Amino acid sequence: MRVGAHEVEVFEGARARLEAIAYRLLGSANDAEDAVQDTFLRWQSADRELIETPEAWLTKVLTNVCLNRLTSARARREIYVGQWLPEPVFAGDRMLGPSDTVEQRESVSIAMLTLMERLSAKERVVYVLREAFGYSHGEIAEVLDLTESNCQQVYRRAKQHLADDRRRVAVDAAAARKIVEEFLAAALSGKTDSLVRMLTDDATSVGDGGGVVFSVPQPITGALRVARFLRALFTPSEAKWEMIGGRPELFAAVANGVPALVMVVGDRVAGVFSLDVTADGIAAVHAQANPGKLERARRQWAVSEHGEPLTGDW
């Protein structure tokens, strides 16, 4: 069926919410954009006179598209080279969705998106729609063709699988910059102790190079081991600059709601180090260096204000 101006307007009015849902479900901005486009194509071909509530219809279609993509994505991740991390997006990107509550902010953090890989596809849908978008169990049950009681059971299981007692610190741009400045100063100091003091005892470091950029194939755990690794990683050398395509500039930013150290070479974002900050210190460093997962970040970086680099010496 032909889509008129009104139908296009209805869909575009829902696009930001659909993108935010899809990103939380898939952990990939590129995949989320594709899922929303698939949803538009189905909206285009649907008999819209039979659709009473467009928002509910679009959410259900998008969810089914994402469920199919989750199945294929997990198959691809079984043969993924190295560690898999979600695709980072910077503050201001509409794909981050609502951020009014602690639950909404945490649901889009790199740490939580990574944890959600533990969930079944249905558990992930129920958790995202409930925690991040405030859907009732009745509404989610209709989306997934479940009973309301079954939906509640799925939600409880998801919460159990994601149980995390860490008290995370909410940050604005100024606080994020201060944290990143301190982290970078410690990393560049050449002193392991400086980094250890910033980390929790059970801190982890995870890097995703996608088989394109070198990264450690397994997580590094423990404050001392992570500190030693970061000290070595941030020790400047011509070999490192050659590997990433040039001498980088380092910036502070907010990505997925947490402080982030951004490595930029020319006009290209070469790496994003997201810092999972808790009341006890930095609990995790998630380093995304896979070029295929930094394209949206590059586009956003090119049109945003990001201030002066933190250092020109690295």
Side-chain angles (χ1 to χ4, degrees), residues 194-269:
S194 299
L195 278 165
V196 169
R197 284 194 293 270
M198 294 195 69
L199 303 169
T200 61
D201 291 342
D202 60 348
T204 62
S205 175
V206 182
D208 181 348
V212 179
V213 175
F214 173 78
S215 63
V216 178
Q218 297 295 329
I220 299 169
T221 59
L224 182 58
R225 293 185 65 209
V226 171
R228 287 172 174 167
F229 169 73
L230 291 172
R231 184 193 64 190
L233 181 67
F234 282 93
T235 299
S237 73
E238 293 290 343
K240 289 174 185 171
W241 298 334
E242 183 177 350
M243 183 175 64
I244 62 176
R247 186 167 184 167
E249 292 182 311
L250 303 173
F251 293 84
V254 177
N256 295 77
V258 303
L261 175 66
V262 184
M263 186 179 296
V264 179
V265 179
D267 62 352
R268 176 174 57 87
V269 174

Side-chain angles (χ1 to χ4, degrees), residues 39 51 68 75 104 138 140 148 151 170-171 195 222 232 264 268 284 313:
T39 302
I51 299 174
N68 291 332
Q104 288 173 336
I140 300 171
E148 188 169 343
C151 181
V171 297
L195 278 165
V264 179
R268 176 174 57 87
D313 301 328

Side-chain angles (χ1 to χ4, degrees), residues 171-181 252 254:
V171 297
D172 57 17
R177 183 179 180 89
K178 186 173 187 300
I179 291 169
V180 173
E181 285 176 342
V254 177

Side-chain angles (χ1 to χ4, degrees), residues 5-310:
H6 174 68
E7 286 80 7
V8 172
E9 183 179 351
V10 168
F11 186 86
E12 290 303 320
R15 182 182 288 276
R17 180 179 57 83
L18 296 175
E19 286 186 351
I21 292 172
Y23 175 63
R24 282 168 168 81
L25 292 180
L26 301 173
S28 164
N30 286 335
D31 287 349
E33 287 179 329
D34 290 344
V36 171
Q37 184 60 28
D38 285 350
T39 302
F40 176 73
L41 294 175
R42 298 186 189 198
W43 170 250
Q44 190 176 34
S45 61
D47 187 347
R48 291 176 298 280
E49 292 183 359
L50 301 178
I51 299 174
E52 295 182 3
T53 312
E55 177 180 326
W57 187 92
L58 290 169
T59 300
K60 182 165 186 171
V61 170
L62 174 79
T63 299
N64 285 323
V65 169
C66 288
L67 283 170
N68 291 332
R69 285 179 172 268
L70 276 171
T71 301
S72 59
R74 286 180 173 170
R76 292 196 305 272
R77 285 168 199 167
E78 289 180 0
I79 58 173
Y80 193 81
V81 178
Q83 301 170 91
W84 182 92
L85 285 175
E87 183 178 343
V89 290
F90 294 126
D93 193 314
R94 68 183 185 186
M95 201 162 278
L96 293 174
S99 60
D100 297 327
T101 67
V102 172
E103 292 78 12
Q104 288 173 336
R105 291 190 293 271
E106 288 201 351
S107 71
V108 79
S109 70
I110 295 295
M112 183 57 73
L113 290 174
T114 303
L115 276 179
M116 281 197 281
E117 290 296 301
R118 300 175 179 178
L119 304 181
S120 70
K122 282 189 177 180
E123 286 173 343
R124 189 161 182 164
V125 170
V126 172
Y127 181 82
V128 165
L129 292 182
R130 181 70 177 155
E131 290 285 302
F133 296 91
Y135 281 70
S136 69
H137 286 298
E139 291 170 324
I140 300 171
E142 289 184 11
V143 167
L144 291 173
D145 294 323
L146 300 173
T147 65
E148 188 169 343
S149 62
N150 187 228
C151 181
Q152 291 171 336
Q153 291 172 354
V154 172
Y155 176 68
R156 283 195 293 271
R157 287 201 304 269
K159 291 278 284 185
Q160 290 169 357
H161 292 153
L162 297 175
D164 185 353
D165 294 330
R166 296 188 187 280
R167 292 176 296 126
R168 289 182 168 80
V169 177
V171 297
D172 57 17
R177 183 179 180 89
K178 186 173 187 300
I179 291 169
V180 173
E181 285 176 342
E182 292 175 356
F183 171 78
L184 182 60
L188 295 177
S189 71
K191 298 176 182 178
T192 303
D193 289 348
S194 299
L195 278 165
V196 169
R197 284 194 293 270
M198 294 195 69
L199 303 169
T200 61
D201 291 342
D202 60 348
T204 62
S205 175
V206 182
D208 181 348
V212 179
V213 175
F214 173 78
S215 63
V216 178
Q218 297 295 329
I220 299 169
T221 59
L224 182 58
R225 293 185 65 209
V226 171
R228 287 172 174 167
F229 169 73
L230 291 172
R231 184 193 64 190
L233 181 67
F234 282 93
T235 299
S237 73
E238 293 290 343
K240 289 174 185 171
W241 298 334
E242 183 177 350
M243 183 175 64
I244 62 176
R247 186 167 184 167
E249 292 182 311
L250 303 173
F251 293 84
V254 177
N256 295 77
V258 303
L261 175 66
V262 184
M263 186 179 296
V264 179
V265 179
D267 62 352
R268 176 174 57 87
V269 174
V272 177
F273 295 78
S274 302
L275 308 180
D276 185 21
V277 182
T278 72
D280 299 319
I282 297 173
V285 179
H286 297 106
Q288 182 56 262
N290 183 348
K293 295 184 181 181
L294 293 172
E295 180 56 30
R296 187 180 183 92
R298 182 198 65 77
R299 296 198 306 268
Q300 191 181 3
W301 190 262
V303 297
S304 65
E305 292 291 333
H306 36 71
E308 295 297 316
L310 297 178

